[in-house]
Amino acid sequence: MNRKPRVLMIGRRYWPHGSIDSASVLVQTACAMHRRGVHVEVLTPRYASSWPESIMVREVPVHRAVSAPRSEWGMGKYMRGLTAWLQQHAASFDVVYVDSMREEALVAVDTAKQMGIPTMVRCRGWGRFNDCQWWQTSRLARRCGAMTRGADIVVANSAAVERTLLMEGFEPERIERIVQGFAASPGRTAIRRHAARQALASANADLVTESDTPVVLCHATMSRDQGADLLVRTARPLLIRYPNLRIWFAGDGPSRDSMYQRLRSDGVRASIAMPGSFADAEDLFAAADLYVQCDDEGLEYFLPTAVASGLPIVAVENVSIRSLLDAESASDPVRSAQELEPDHRLVSSCGRPSDRLEWCSTATPKELRLAVSRVLEGMPAATDRAAELRRILLRSRPLSRTTDAYLGLVERLSHKAPRDGRAPQAEAVS
């Protein structure tokens, strides 16, 4: 095309929801495509009446014209609002991209099909947080799964998800597998670590630390049935053994207050911090010494960011985590087999990337404490393994390759529907 492709990206959460994994990866994707010359705009709900309906985030227009759903009745109102907005504005875009296969996809695929606009839908999440698992939770969820079969392209993030989609009845030619890329970031240095700690301390007194204080970071939803709760139960025995240790729980969630009260009653309040959400968590990862990954949550943005930051990682044994790190670059649809051969040699000569993590065999406080202790007591070796993991994945699976894959799909879909087949009277957004 002679002009920039125009892409409307739809997601349940966007900036400033930096504590939400899906929001962070959507911001990353939108900004990467914008930098590569695509005209990107984002449609996302408004979570407070005081929020403006339109803002600019890193040169990307963001529309928050519909109130966020807060109940089953609110979901119906939200979906009707999305439909009305798309009917008025969507014809000014070449492609509609939906960041999940949930209610937004149900509305977007149906509305865009009526308007002759091609759609691309991403199957979001890993393990029990994957959209395919969510489809089993309700009648509306099953309807979302059925409707997204009509999308022009469905993006799967792993071979397991691709197989699940095929078993759910999706047409093979509509499925494209795009593995998660790793964004290049400055390497770990004492100067950068010190500067990040100073910046965080000036923003939040709970994050004040000495230069020689080891910091454990966990970035997860504060919920009793998720990974942060395991680290909460591990905190007291861990801090008894390492009194100088600090543990940072980044994020928010329904159990945040109860987790805080438990840590306070355990007598470790002075050694932990719950700073809440960050629109940009770069300084958190730069300031920490160790990252803890306890479950399937956070595998789309936070764990890749920990890897790219060169942090030693302790992870509870998990198929999804291994699949993310060990995924073959050959799943990338935009590269030929000849181009990928050097990457295969790189990975095979060094073993599996996931071997560079410190694995916790079971999700128990004792096993997690032992795994964290092994890293703290062997920090130089753990840092070397983390640097090697970073080097392998940045070379074999850079974020630029993931962006190339998305751009290839956008170009293909942009030519699918002729421009004169759209409704000419539709109002352009910007």
Side-chain angles (χ1 to χ4, degrees):
M1 299 178 66
N2 294 326
R3 61 176 179 81
K4 293 181 180 180
R6 295 176 59 87
V7 178
L8 176 65
M9 307 185 80
I10 304 175
R12 182 70 58 87
R13 290 178 175 84
Y14 198 72
W15 186 92
H17 294 110
S19 65
I20 308 296
D21 193 50
S22 60
S24 296
V25 79
L26 182 56
V27 171
Q28 183 183 63
T29 304
C31 292
M33 294 179 69
H34 169 73
R35 288 192 297 268
R36 299 287 288 275
V38 176
H39 179 91
V40 177
E41 299 187 27
V42 176
L43 175 61
T44 189
R46 186 173 68 254
Y47 282 82
S49 58
S50 59
W51 285 19
E53 292 190 6
S54 296
I55 59 172
M56 292 287 289
V57 178
R58 301 173 188 174
E59 301 181 336
V60 174
V62 180
H63 308 283
R64 302 188 295 200
V66 184
S67 296
R70 302 186 184 278
S71 64
E72 185 176 348
W73 177 85
M75 179 58 72
K77 182 179 180 182
Y78 168 66
M79 293 171 67
R80 290 191 295 273
L82 281 182
T83 301
W85 193 96
L86 290 172
Q87 288 173 340
Q88 183 178 4
H89 299 289
S92 64
F93 296 93
D94 300 303
V95 178
V96 173
Y97 170 95
V98 190
D99 193 47
S100 72
M101 305 181 79
R102 304 197 178 194
E103 289 89 354
E104 291 81 7
L106 188 154
V107 170
V109 171
D110 183 44
T111 306
K113 182 178 293 186
Q114 296 176 26
M115 303 175 71
I117 305 170
T119 53
M120 178 166 54
V121 181
R122 185 173 74 96
C123 190
R124 189 182 72 192
W126 290 81
R128 65 191 179 101
F129 298 101
N130 183 260
D131 288 339
C132 297
Q133 296 295 321
W134 176 80
W135 292 342
Q136 314 306 319
T137 60
S138 70
R139 181 178 178 182
L140 176 60
R142 289 191 291 273
R143 185 182 166 204
C144 292
M147 178 59 70
T148 51
R149 295 192 191 115
D152 294 272
I153 295 292
V154 176
V155 176
N157 59 7
S158 69
V161 169
E162 185 174 3
R163 288 192 295 269
T164 301
L165 292 173
L166 291 172
M167 289 188 291
E168 291 287 340
F170 285 76
E171 298 176 12
E173 58 272 16
R174 294 178 184 261
I175 302 174
E176 295 285 349
R177 197 195 320 169
I178 302 179
V179 296
Q180 179 65 47
F182 293 79
S185 63
R188 290 185 62 77
T189 64
I191 294 176
R192 184 166 181 260
R193 176 173 171 270
H194 179 69
R197 291 192 176 193
Q198 283 189 318
L200 292 170
S202 65
N204 189 321
D206 286 346
L207 301 178
V208 174
T209 57
E210 300 296 333
S211 59
D212 60 343
T213 300
V215 172
V216 173
L217 173 64
C218 176
H219 206 308
T221 302
M222 304 294 175
S223 178
R224 288 193 178 277
D225 62 343
Q226 294 179 215
D229 186 55
L230 176 59
L231 185 57
V232 167
R233 291 184 283 124
T234 310
R236 184 172 181 272
L238 194 59
L239 289 164
I240 289 175
R241 182 165 185 176
Y242 303 99
N244 192 41
L245 184 68
R246 296 293 182 269
I247 304 176
W248 293 352
F249 296 89
D252 286 295
S255 300
R256 185 174 186 270
D257 289 341
S258 61
M259 288 181 177
Y260 176 82
Q261 292 302 325
R262 170 167 182 162
L263 291 165
R264 185 178 179 182
S265 65
D266 285 344
V268 298
R269 168 65 187 87
S271 299
I272 65 101
M274 287 186 169
S277 300
F278 284 73
D280 186 341
E282 180 180 344
D283 282 342
L284 280 175
F285 287 90
D289 298 293
L290 170 64
Y291 187 78
V292 174
Q293 179 69 43
C294 295
D295 61 7
D296 297 319
E297 187 196 21
L299 302 192
E300 295 189 297
Y301 183 80
F302 296 125
L303 182 60
T305 301
V307 171
S309 300
L311 276 175
I313 298 170
V314 170
V316 174
E317 184 63 48
N318 184 295
V319 173
S320 295
I321 298 174
R322 288 194 181 274
S323 297
L324 168 67
L325 298 178
D326 297 337
E328 294 184 356
S329 298
S331 60
D332 190 328
V334 302
R335 304 192 73 206
S336 67
Q338 291 78 11
E339 290 176 304
L340 290 169
E341 285 177 359
D343 293 341
H344 288 311
R345 289 197 298 269
L346 171 68
V347 174
S348 62
S349 65
C350 302
R352 295 185 302 174
S354 62
D355 294 339
R356 276 77 181 172
L357 272 62
E358 186 65 45
W359 290 97
C360 174
S361 58
T362 56
T364 62
K366 178 181 178 181
E367 290 298 324
L368 182 58
R369 175 178 59 82
L370 292 174
V372 172
S373 297
R374 288 193 295 271
V375 173
L376 293 176
E377 293 173 6
M379 186 58 75
T383 301
D384 289 343
R385 292 198 304 272
E388 188 177 11
L389 176 64
R390 176 180 182 272
R391 184 173 64 255
I392 291 171
L393 292 179
L394 287 183
R395 289 179 61 186
S396 63
R397 289 164 54 196
L399 181 63
S400 60
R401 189 176 303 165
T402 301
T403 305
D404 287 340
Y406 277 116
L407 290 176
L409 296 180
V410 167
E411 287 293 337
R412 187 203 309 177
L413 293 180
S414 296
H415 295 282
K416 183 173 182 178
R419 187 68 183 171
D420 56 9
R422 318 280 181 79
Q425 72 276 16
E427 177 185 345
V429 181
S430 63

